[in-house]
Amino acid sequence: MINVAIDGPAGAGKSTLAKAVAKRLGYIYVDTGALYRAIALFVIQRGVDVYNASKVAAMLPMIDIELKYVGDEQRVYLCGENVTSVIRTQEVSAAASAVSAIAKVREFLFDLQLEMAQNNNVVMDGRDIGTVVLPNADVKIFLTASAEARARRRHKELVEKGHDVEFEAVLKSVNERDEQDMNRPIAPLKQAKDAILLDTTELSLEESEIALYNAIKDNLPRR
């Protein structure tokens, strides 16, 4: 199986770009961030503090998450309910960062991610795919952009979805998420030593997709 690992900070466009590139390659796209978001949603819905590691860990046996594919669309099911759109709110995003720092949560999801990679050609994106989940991936990419560029993209996306949010608030959220992800004690966000750095600050979405596709295609093993 061919495994492509894409890591990078929040708002770098990992999900959008990885999904598009996986389609071009004919691979399965695995959005690991959606898995953490689903757990965060479950915890929020039950009024539990997402920063309380022991209480969050105690809830894990109650959680059932599935990634299903309808055509080329990935859908996320939480205990049988389609939560694909619900998990994309700012509240869930912040909570996902908190629960992803909990060791028991990462252990809970590790086997699911590994099983997908062992049984399929995958493009998998997240924060620690190339460093922890798939350290032997065939191709590793570290996808990034400046905090301001990532905030602009996220703000545009939220406004288009009808959310009333200020750019400054989105930028603050991006910076806080970076700080949290890079400094957490467990599997912090960092570029794998053998990962290709791809900075899309000055690139359009289309240009970013082409650059990512070429970086992967040029470095796939010859078989």
Side-chain angles (χ1 to χ4, degrees):
M1 293 296 136
I2 299 293
N3 291 171
V4 176
I6 300 178
D7 292 308
K14 295 188 303 297
S15 297
T16 300
L17 295 173
K19 178 181 175 183
V21 169
K23 183 177 180 180
R24 292 180 66 169
L25 291 167
Y27 294 0
I28 293 292
Y29 165 56
V30 182
D31 177 6
T32 63
L35 303 176
Y36 288 100
R37 286 171 180 269
I39 290 179
L41 178 63
F42 187 92
V43 174
I44 290 171
Q45 288 177 334
R46 283 150 186 81
V48 172
D49 180 4
V50 295
Y51 291 96
N52 189 318
S54 60
K55 287 187 176 181
V56 172
M59 303 183 80
L60 295 176
M62 297 180 269
I63 299 176
D64 177 54
I65 304 172
E66 287 184 280
L67 295 182
K68 296 182 180 180
Y69 296 86
V70 180
D72 60 352
E73 289 293 320
Q74 176 185 267
R75 296 182 184 174
V76 185
Y77 287 82
L78 176 61
C79 300
E81 179 186 355
N82 185 348
V83 296
T84 307
S85 60
V86 186
I87 61 174
R88 296 297 169 183
T89 65
Q90 286 283 89
E91 179 188 16
V92 173
S93 179
S97 181
V99 301
S100 69
I102 299 172
K104 292 294 184 183
V105 172
R106 305 198 75 84
E107 291 171 11
F108 178 75
L109 292 176
F110 182 82
D111 289 342
L112 175 60
Q113 296 171 63
L114 200 57
E115 181 181 0
M116 290 179 180
Q118 289 174 338
N119 296 321
N120 303 278
N121 293 327
V122 300
V123 175
M124 186 179 294
D125 78 310
R127 301 289 191 280
D128 65 342
I129 308 306
T131 54
V132 177
V133 181
L134 301 176
N136 297 314
D138 298 278
V139 181
K140 299 179 186 179
I141 307 288
F142 192 83
L143 186 67
T144 190
S146 70
E148 290 75 15
R150 289 182 281 129
R152 280 196 303 272
R153 295 168 187 171
R154 180 62 175 154
H155 180 256
K156 181 175 182 288
E157 177 186 346
L158 290 169
V159 170
E160 289 175 347
K161 290 181 178 179
H163 297 283
D164 182 17
V165 60
E166 296 293 330
F167 170 77
E168 289 74 16
V170 178
L171 178 59
K172 181 174 182 287
S173 176
V174 166
N175 283 321
E176 289 176 346
R177 183 72 184 270
D178 286 351
E179 180 72 17
Q180 194 169 31
D181 288 347
M182 290 188 292
N183 294 293
R184 67 190 182 201
I186 301 164
L189 169 67
K190 62 180 179 179
Q191 181 180 344
K193 291 181 179 179
D194 53 348
I196 300 162
L197 178 65
L198 179 56
D199 190 322
T200 66
T201 299
E202 302 297 331
L203 302 181
S204 67
L205 182 61
E206 183 179 356
E207 290 169 337
S208 298
E209 181 183 330
I210 292 170
L212 179 59
Y213 175 79
N214 287 337
I216 294 171
K217 197 71 174 175
D218 291 347
N219 288 279
L220 284 174
R222 307 296 179 187
R223 295 180 179 174

